[in-house]
Amino acid sequence: EWFFLGDREFYNCEISQHPIFTAGTACLELAAPPPDAIRQIRSELRVDYGKIDYAIDAEGMPVLFDVHKTIGLMDPTSERARGMAKILADV
């Protein structure tokens, strides 16, 4: 997951034993900036605030799942949500 607000960014990686899932286990060691191909999609769509869901396939190619113009979280009062808000708001 790539959350962004202007030039502020927050990366999150979730893993699961199931091939299709909406919320998995956070895997901070795999969280990394999105590849250039995903950044290009954001640029082409002119999205300044939101979230992009994607994965990297077995050949190392990015696979786009979804582009959100808003950000929603399972628990907006969680420590993770507060940390993400702090990064995006530059507080």
Side-chain angles (χ1 to χ4, degrees):
E1 299 171 311
W2 176 32
F3 298 86
F4 45 83
L5 173 59
D7 62 350
R8 304 281 176 209
E9 303 178 329
F10 179 83
Y11 320 113
N12 186 56
C13 180
E14 294 179 350
I15 58 174
S16 174
Q17 294 295 321
H18 303 284
I20 299 173
F21 65 97
T22 58
T25 303
C27 187
L28 298 177
E29 60 271 11
L30 293 178
D36 290 341
I38 298 296
R39 287 185 181 278
Q40 181 64 33
I41 291 168
R42 176 187 171 194
S43 177
E44 290 171 3
L45 294 174
R46 299 180 184 174
V47 180
D48 193 48
Y49 168 74
K51 178 181 114 167
I52 294 180
D53 296 326
Y54 67 95
I56 306 298
D57 71 13
E59 286 79 40
M61 299 298 298
V63 178
L64 177 69
F65 293 135
D66 206 352
V67 178
H68 307 268
K69 294 189 297 183
T70 60
I71 295 173
L73 298 170
M74 297 283 279
D75 183 0
T77 62
S78 69
E79 187 171 327
R80 174 179 168 255
R82 286 191 304 274
M84 181 178 67
K86 183 177 179 181
I87 289 169
L88 294 179
D90 189 29
V91 183

